Amino acid sequence: MAAPGRDITVALLGGGTVGGQVARIICENADELASRVGARMVLTGVAVRDLARERAGIDPTLLTTDAASLASSGADVVVELIGGIEPANSWILSAIGAGSSVVTANKALVAERGQYLHDAAEAAGVDLYYEAAVAGAIPLLRPLADSLAGDRVRRVLGIVNGTTNYILTRMDEEAADYAEVLAEAQRLGFAEADPTADVAGYDAAAKAAILASLAFHTRVTLDDVYREGITDVTAEDVAAAKEMGFVVKLLFVAELTQGGLCVRVHPAMVPRSHPLASVRLAFNAVFVEADAAGEVMFYGQGAGGQPTASAVLGDLVTAARHRVTGSLGAAASTHGDFNLLPVTDATTCFYVNLHVIDQPGVLARIAQKFADHGVSISTVRQDGEGDDARLIIRTHAARDGSLYATLADLRSLPEVRQVVGSMRVIRGPGE
Amino acid sequence: MAAPGRDITVALLGGGTVGGQVARIICENADELASRVGARMVLTGVAVRDLARERAGIDPTLLTTDAASLASSGADVVVELIGGIEPANSWILSAIGAGSSVVTANKALVAERGQYLHDAAEAAGVDLYYEAAVAGAIPLLRPLADSLAGDRVRRVLGIVNGTTNYILTRMDEEAADYAEVLAEAQRLGFAEADPTADVAGYDAAAKAAILASLAFHTRVTLDDVYREGITDVTAEDVAAAKEMGFVVKLLFVAELTQGGLCVRVHPAMVPRSHPLASVRLAFNAVFVEADAAGEVMFYGQGAGGQPTASAVLGDLVTAARHRVTGSLGAAASTHGDFNLLPVTDATTCFYVNLHVIDQPGVLARIAQKFADHGVSISTVRQDGEGDDARLIIRTHAARDGSLYATLADLRSLPEVRQVVGSMRVIRGPGE
């Protein structure tokens, strides 16, 4: 416990956009923060790579290039904003070893080594918080871990990548092509020059691992998450979804079934009546379905220096308060021991768009292929004629693996010119 | 601190719908809860008024009519689910006096005596939680108090009364009359036989007081909240809103301006692009605007036995964990010392619907009245002719008091047959 009246020392690893914001707010809002924490917070150092760079809001005398020493200096709280696995991992472990509580925004590290870091923090009797690692400023991890602690979560799903949601929103609202919108998103700074981490779903998968671990009190790592990006989503898929009253979103879904827990990231059609459908552009939202709480959604900005800084500060204030009162937050509980299911065992509805030969009997032969795999068809719409004949099929809930086996069969059927598109469909609230 | 291995004792005051759910979950999910708490939770008693009544899920040997003794029995956690000011207030104080942490769902009590109870809990070194008092199962109070603790909240607004939102949603979607929808809501159980607490805004005002106190770290009681209900909202207001791209909602708004903090409950027109516009039927949502976090929204079921029980259990698990680890949650900080502004000093936009005499020069004379009070007109639409001539006016942001002074003047103007409707208008995100 901190001695009465003494300051709470804070060491910052990383002085980039977020670090600069955090440092600035610690100084500018010092009195307000002190009254929330119960003691003044004092920055003892900011570790950076380049001492010469101008850093607005950071007192230059605090800068150091010796991050390893700052990490192990025994500050009350060490804030890690460097990112990546190493050296962030080693520095966090040395901070924990020196008795410091740790706040981090490092999504990749928590997704890969979260449980290990939790165990280390628990053994050392310090706090480890990482609200900023998922969905920016949306207060999400603590509510999942604490407020729903007496409830049983059944499904968590949501939009946790702003870049892909920006692209899909514009494809939906302007009937634009993927490549066209991506190029503009890159020009506007909503997408990186190399957009792979976002558009291929890696970023969303890492966040899904963290959220699933917390919501189901179990251990899910990045490798456990099935992942499919948005690079194959076409303007035609988006238009077909729109016509059926759906909007295409890149979703993560973590779902508990009798067989176990399945965690996946993939594009999905979401009914317009679902609260997730109205999450536009770079906003994020996470929708939780629990036994007693029912449906709960958290919505907000998923990225950006200021929102991330807000989340870091929320964690920092909590950790600092605990140092003042000599208490600790709850350790991550990992009592849930669920079988992790492959996506092929997940159950979902599908949309399938087939370019077919315009002949009597085609529908019957195609429907038989679905029946062969136990996939029940919900609606069929015939579109176009002659060379442009299409079948737009929606299925009832079916085993994911069975649908993909059906699609493989359909591809070899002479009546099917092409499988133009196929996508998972999310059920609406209460369906 | 609880001795290692000993149970955490829980006393329940109230055995109605919510109490029954809480008792059932404590028994049915005992193992799961034990692993989250770090010790088994054991019910020591359930105080009820009528011992003879059948209560599903509650062991009859636990029932007692002596609530006062159970409250002061020194259980680790006392859960108060009786409601009302007295005797709930005395029982909670005697529980705190006996060293018990307290969890309550008592909105009225917290709105009226929240600060006093917080002070008592802090002096006794026990926890006081009341997540279930506002917006049912939506994890909201802890995120406001903790996760945004390092940020500066500018405005909190939202929909916290399910009954009125149900009525307004149906008026909007079916162009129905208030009286007609209220009657049906009463038949379906969405509204009480005496709906005053809901439709006159008392329920929302109590929740607004609690939320404003937490978001702005200050003390706001029910008496500080300006309150206007939905009984005067007409089908014509709702239709006019719809035509302009708005939907009418009963909102609470707690807003920090240079002059101070203004907390109010009133019907308002919300732009369809605002996330609050898509909150339908009995759902609740709270929208937070903070300096760094930007815009954050919490959405979910606002009422009902199960969602309320989920919120109570979340609090119970947190309080129980603290007993096991010998720690305490953060006390409510009330360092913010804001001037509380009357609604007349609030700044907002307005819609005004006037039934006027169809003559040249009428608009000029009416516009002059707005100008006299410094209210700037944004748009005017002329509707109907002759005896049906209407002016639909929207203003720029103006002082609330100035608009109402304008309306009083307009009523005495011979050119104005009637002020058909007027309503505050909420700005869209980013406006």
Side-chain angles (χ1 to χ4, degrees):
Chain A
M1 194 181 311
R6 92 153 166 88
D7 295 334
I8 292 293
T9 51
V10 179
L12 215 57
L13 310 181
T17 314
V18 176
Q21 293 278 2
V22 170
R24 183 184 57 77
I25 300 175
I26 288 177
C27 298
E28 283 181 10
N29 297 5
D31 291 345
E32 215 167 318
L33 290 169
S35 74
R36 293 189 196 175
V37 167
R40 294 191 77 79
M41 291 202 289
V42 174
L43 266 182
T44 58
V46 182
V48 297
R49 247 184 271 181
D50 177 7
L51 285 178
R53 223 182 88 196
E54 184 79 34
R55 292 167 202 275
I58 305 182
D59 174 356
T61 64
L62 292 174
L63 298 179
T64 169
T65 54
D66 188 0
S69 298
L70 185 61
S72 59
S73 63
D76 284 302
V77 188
V78 172
V79 180
E80 185 272 309
L81 299 170
I82 285 170
I85 305 298
E86 283 297 349
N89 178 55
S90 307
W91 291 345
I92 287 178
L93 288 173
S94 77
I96 291 171
S100 302
S101 287
V102 171
V103 173
T104 173
N106 193 327
K107 171 191 63 215
L109 180 61
V110 177
E112 198 178 300
R113 313 246 311 157
Q115 191 54 48
Y116 184 83
L117 294 175
H118 269 299
D119 291 347
E122 196 177 353
V126 300
D127 280 330
L128 169 68
Y129 290 125
Y130 45 87
E131 185 70 72
V134 181
I138 312 177
L140 183 59
L141 303 185
R142 207 106 34 92
L144 266 183
D146 291 351
S147 305
L148 295 171
D151 204 339
R152 232 177 241 173
V153 173
R154 290 292 163 195
R155 187 165 78 147
V156 185
L157 68 167
I159 295 162
V160 287
N161 180 271
T163 302
T164 49
N165 201 55
Y166 176 88
I167 293 172
L168 292 170
T169 301
R170 301 214 39 195
M171 286 177 72
D172 176 64
E173 296 182 357
E174 297 157 33
D177 265 335
Y178 170 74
E180 188 186 318
V181 177
L182 172 60
E184 203 191 321
Q186 287 172 317
R187 210 165 49 240
L188 295 171
F190 285 108
E192 306 275 348
D194 175 1
T196 312
D198 294 314
V199 299
Y202 289 100
D203 174 79
K207 293 166 179 168
I210 297 173
L211 286 167
S213 299
L214 284 170
F216 296 100
H217 308 273
T218 188
R219 180 180 180 162
V220 179
T221 65
L222 185 54
D223 293 339
D224 300 320
V225 182
Y226 171 79
R227 181 186 48 75
E228 213 174 285
I230 64 161
T231 47
D232 294 336
V233 175
T234 64
E236 189 166 348
D237 291 332
V238 173
K242 200 164 191 169
E243 205 173 310
M244 296 188 294
F246 290 81
V247 56
V248 176
K249 296 289 186 189
L250 181 69
L251 292 189
F252 84 89
V253 182
E255 189 168 23
L256 196 60
T257 63
Q258 292 214 310
L261 179 65
C262 178
V263 187
R264 51 195 195 268
V265 168
H266 54 68
M269 292 187 178
V270 178
R272 299 256 170 204
S273 59
H274 196 291
L276 284 173
S278 59
V279 178
R280 295 174 66 246
L281 300 171
F283 276 88
N284 282 196
V286 173
F287 196 83
V288 181
E289 299 169 9
D291 273 2
E295 296 166 346
V296 176
M297 189 171 86
F298 304 86
Y299 165 100
Q301 279 166 270
Q306 290 232 56
T308 307
S310 167
V312 167
L313 271 157
D315 282 351
L316 176 54
V317 165
T318 305
R321 257 189 205 154
H322 286 166
R323 301 294 279 207
V324 172
T325 59
S327 59
L328 261 188
S333 56
T334 53
H335 57 276
D337 193 13
F338 298 113
N339 187 19
L340 281 164
L341 293 182
V343 71
T344 45
D345 285 344
T347 300
T348 184
C349 305
F350 293 87
Y351 134 90
V352 179
N353 185 340
L354 302 174
H355 187 185
V356 296
I357 289 172
D358 193 4
Q359 270 179 0
V362 166
L363 176 57
R365 278 189 298 281
I366 287 172
Q368 185 57 48
K369 289 295 177 196
F370 282 87
D372 288 349
H373 292 281
V375 179
S376 162
I377 289 176
S378 136
T379 60
V380 178
R381 192 161 56 82
Q382 309 216 30
D383 229 16
E385 281 181 291
D387 282 357
D388 284 332
R390 295 288 170 93
L391 285 181
I392 315 281
I393 295 170
R394 275 178 58 199
T395 77
H396 287 297
R399 215 183 130 263
D400 205 279
S402 304
L403 189 278
Y404 282 88
T406 308
L407 287 179
D409 275 13
L410 289 174
R411 285 197 179 87
S412 64
L413 208 63
E415 289 85 351
V416 174
R417 289 176 198 257
Q418 199 195 342
V419 177
V420 179
S422 70
M423 201 176 291
R424 296 170 182 91
V425 176
I426 292 296
R427 62 174 197 270
E431 268 182 57
Chain B
M1 193 182 311
R6 90 154 166 88
D7 294 334
I8 291 294
T9 52
V10 178
L12 216 56
L13 310 182
T17 314
V18 176
Q21 292 279 0
V22 170
R24 184 185 57 76
I25 298 174
I26 289 177
C27 297
E28 283 181 10
N29 296 7
D31 291 345
E32 217 166 317
L33 289 170
S35 74
R36 294 188 195 174
V37 168
R40 294 192 77 80
M41 289 202 289
V42 175
L43 265 182
T44 58
V46 181
V48 297
R49 245 183 273 180
D50 177 7
L51 284 178
R53 222 180 91 196
E54 185 78 36
R55 292 168 203 272
I58 304 183
D59 174 356
T61 63
L62 292 175
L63 297 178
T64 171
T65 53
D66 188 0
S69 299
L70 186 61
S72 59
S73 63
D76 285 301
V77 188
V78 172
V79 180
E80 185 272 309
L81 299 170
I82 285 170
I85 304 298
E86 282 299 348
N89 178 54
S90 307
W91 292 344
I92 286 179
L93 288 173
S94 76
I96 290 171
S100 303
S101 286
V102 170
V103 172
T104 174
N106 193 327
K107 171 190 62 214
L109 180 60
V110 177
E112 198 177 301
R113 313 247 309 159
Q115 191 54 46
Y116 184 84
L117 295 174
H118 268 299
D119 290 348
E122 197 178 352
V126 300
D127 280 330
L128 169 69
Y129 289 125
Y130 45 88
E131 185 70 73
V134 181
I138 311 177
L140 183 59
L141 302 187
R142 208 100 40 88
L144 266 183
D146 292 351
S147 305
L148 295 173
D151 206 339
R152 231 179 244 172
V153 173
R154 289 292 164 196
R155 187 164 78 147
V156 185
L157 68 168
I159 296 162
V160 287
N161 180 271
T163 301
T164 48
N165 201 54
Y166 176 88
I167 292 172
L168 292 171
T169 302
R170 299 211 43 194
M171 287 177 73
D172 175 62
E173 295 181 358
E174 296 157 31
D177 264 336
Y178 170 73
E180 188 185 318
V181 177
L182 172 61
E184 203 192 321
Q186 286 172 318
R187 211 164 47 240
L188 294 171
F190 285 107
E192 306 276 346
D194 175 1
T196 312
D198 293 314
V199 300
Y202 290 100
D203 173 79
K207 293 167 180 168
I210 298 174
L211 286 167
S213 299
L214 285 170
F216 296 99
H217 307 275
T218 188
R219 179 178 180 162
V220 179
T221 66
L222 185 52
D223 293 339
D224 300 320
V225 182
Y226 171 79
R227 183 188 46 75
E228 211 176 285
I230 65 163
T231 46
D232 294 335
V233 175
T234 64
E236 189 166 350
D237 291 332
V238 173
K242 200 164 190 167
E243 205 174 309
M244 296 188 293
F246 290 82
V247 55
V248 176
K249 298 288 186 190
L250 181 69
L251 292 190
F252 84 90
V253 181
E255 190 167 22
L256 195 60
T257 64
Q258 291 212 313
L261 179 65
C262 177
V263 188
R264 52 197 196 265
V265 168
H266 54 67
M269 292 188 178
V270 178
R272 299 257 170 203
S273 59
H274 196 289
L276 284 172
S278 60
V279 177
R280 295 175 62 247
L281 300 171
F283 276 88
N284 283 195
V286 174
F287 197 83
V288 181
E289 297 168 9
D291 272 1
E295 296 166 346
V296 176
M297 188 173 85
F298 304 86
Y299 165 99
Q301 281 165 267
Q306 291 232 52
T308 307
S310 167
V312 168
L313 272 156
D315 281 351
L316 177 54
V317 165
T318 304
R321 258 189 204 152
H322 286 165
R323 301 295 278 207
V324 172
T325 59
S327 58
L328 263 188
S333 54
T334 51
H335 56 277
D337 193 14
F338 298 114
N339 186 20
L340 281 165
L341 291 183
V343 72
T344 44
D345 284 343
T347 299
T348 183
C349 305
F350 292 87
Y351 134 92
V352 178
N353 185 340
L354 301 174
H355 186 186
V356 295
I357 289 172
D358 193 3
Q359 272 177 357
V362 166
L363 177 57
R365 278 188 298 280
I366 287 172
Q368 186 56 47
K369 289 293 175 196
F370 283 86
D372 288 349
H373 292 280
V375 179
S376 160
I377 290 177
S378 139
T379 61
V380 178
R381 192 160 57 80
Q382 308 217 29
D383 228 18
E385 283 181 292
D387 282 355
D388 284 332
R390 295 289 170 93
L391 285 181
I392 316 280
I393 295 169
R394 274 177 61 200
T395 77
H396 287 296
R399 213 181 132 265
D400 205 278
S402 304
L403 190 278
Y404 282 89
T406 308
L407 287 179
D409 275 10
L410 289 174
R411 285 198 180 88
S412 66
L413 207 64
E415 289 86 350
V416 175
R417 291 175 196 260
Q418 197 194 344
V419 177
V420 180
S422 70
M423 200 177 292
R424 295 171 183 91
V425 176
I426 292 294
R427 63 172 197 270
E431 268 180 59

